[in-house]
Amino acid sequence: MKKFVMIHDENLCIGCQACSVACKNENQIPSGVFRVQVHAKMKGVFPNLQTDFTRASCVMCEDSPCVSVCPTGASFKLANGITLIDENLCVSCKYCILACPYNARFLNPITKAIDKCTFCYPNRVSDGLTPACVSVCPTDALIFGDINDNNSEVNKVLASKSVEYPKAHLGTKPKLGFIKNTKGGRYE
Ligand code: SF4
Ligand code: SF4
């Protein structure tokens, strides 16, 4: 059984938002709401400034609070680790929005259902493609693949680099990890 994992290498990210735009195009996300964004945070004192770029999206928790609280079964997990939403079962109670520690969910003003990143599973990954964000990233800052495939790129990165997980102390076991920025995004 495949288990999908994504890693955002913050050292390679240039904050171009191509991932966010590609996601919107691929998934027809209306203006004003996002499944994926990259946030920029500047630190240091001029001229020694550094910008950290962090990805904000669903982190595909293994133990998902959104699934636990959903009263209708609209929020559910696939065996491959991806959490999805069945729009037909969603009653827009917003319990999942409150339960998500990553602020990853929003009300889609078109569908009137709750929406979030799906790793593009229904529309791309199930056909053997990579998620739209991964496919357009100009610096290969996003690495995606099957953790159960020993030869996958994602496994090589996990074996060779220090990958951290957002709010790991909560015990939700995210499947979206990041490599902390140590040198990228500097203005010199
Ligand atoms: S497309 Fe790649 S480099 Fe651009 S913001 Fe997204 S992750 Fe960063
Ligand atoms: S808003 Fe929809 S997906 Fe979220 S908890 Fe309620 S029924 Fe489930």
Side-chain angles (χ1 to χ4, degrees):
M1 171 56 68
K2 291 183 177 182
K3 286 273 182 194
F4 292 109
V5 170
M6 189 183 291
I7 298 166
H8 180 219
D9 189 340
E10 296 177 0
N11 292 290
L12 296 177
C13 183
I14 55 173
C16 65
Q17 305 290 345
C19 49
S20 182
V21 173
C23 171
K24 273 186 166 290
N25 285 338
E26 172 69 29
N27 298 296
Q28 296 172 10
I29 305 302
S31 65
V33 287
F34 300 87
R35 286 186 178 184
V36 175
Q37 278 186 298
V38 172
H39 295 157
K41 189 175 170 193
M42 193 169 280
K43 62 189 180 193
V45 177
F46 183 85
N48 299 311
L49 299 173
Q50 178 176 317
T51 307
D52 291 332
F53 296 112
T54 54
R55 175 178 164 120
S57 73
C58 174
V59 302
M60 302 295 173
C61 308
E62 195 173 309
D63 291 335
S64 328
C66 57
V67 173
S68 307
V69 299
C70 181
T72 67
S75 279
F76 65 100
K77 283 198 80 68
L78 300 174
N80 61 24
I82 293 175
T83 309
L84 296 177
I85 300 164
D86 183 339
E87 287 176 10
N88 296 316
L89 293 178
C90 180
V91 293
S92 305
C93 66
K94 301 182 183 168
Y95 288 177
C96 56
I97 290 182
L98 293 172
C100 173
Y102 302 95
N103 201 21
R105 293 180 163 230
F106 57 92
L107 181 68
N108 185 313
I110 305 293
T111 66
K112 308 295 183 197
I114 301 306
D115 207 321
K116 68 166 197 76
C117 170
T118 61
F119 277 1
C120 286
Y121 182 75
N123 42 335
R124 291 179 59 93
V125 171
S126 59
D127 289 332
L129 300 171
T130 54
C133 57
V134 176
S135 74
V136 299
C137 179
T139 63
D140 294 330
L142 293 167
I143 306 107
F144 178 81
D146 176 13
I147 200 174
N148 287 338
D149 174 358
N150 289 336
N151 296 318
S152 66
E153 187 62 26
V154 85
N155 255 327
K156 289 177 193 160
V157 171
L158 284 168
S160 60
K161 298 193 175 173
S162 174
V163 177
E164 300 176 49
Y165 296 91
K167 299 185 181 177
H169 61 282
L170 297 178
T172 57
K173 302 180 200 149
K175 293 294 167 281
L176 171 69
F178 64 94
I179 300 170
K180 204 176 175 66
N181 182 24
T182 54
K183 59 182 172 55
R186 280 202 187 133
Y187 297 90
E188 291 178 337

